[in-house]
Amino acid sequence: MTQCPQESSKSTAFWLLGWSIFALFVVAGVVLLVLIFRATRSARPQPRWLLRIAGVPAMLAMWMLGFGIFLSQFVLVC
């Protein structure tokens, strides 16, 4: 691995875009969980809780996807 050259500093707009994309995925994960809770409101109790519990890993997956994109495209590039 080599270090990035000093003259390749990233602009404020570049960082703002990166953090915005990460925040978008965090918000999308929370919205996904809320939609799962609303969609399962009328289901019977057993399937409802199984689907709601399955929604938590889906939300976390959205967060990890956003963090992965942020790392790979904004942090770990020169």
Side-chain angles (χ1 to χ4, degrees), residues 22-60:
F22 178 61
L24 178 71
F25 275 90
V26 169
V27 169
V30 172
V31 167
L32 176 67
L33 188 63
V34 168
L35 289 176
I36 288 172
F37 268 68
R38 286 185 180 177
T40 59
R41 232 184 244 167
S42 63
R44 289 180 294 153
Q46 183 67 21
R48 177 181 353 156
W49 286 106
L50 290 175
L51 288 170
R52 287 180 175 183
I53 290 171
V56 173
M59 177 187 65
L60 294 175

Side-chain angles (χ1 to χ4, degrees), residues 3-11 15 77-78:
Q3 288 185 341
C4 294
Q6 286 291 353
E7 58 271 356
S8 68
S9 64
K10 299 168 187 159
S11 68
W15 284 114
V77 294
C78 285

Side-chain angles (χ1 to χ4, degrees), residues 16-30 63 66-67 70:
L16 184 62
L17 177 65
W19 283 110
S20 297
I21 289 173
F22 178 61
L24 178 71
F25 275 90
V26 169
V27 169
V30 172
W63 291 359
F67 187 65
F70 175 70

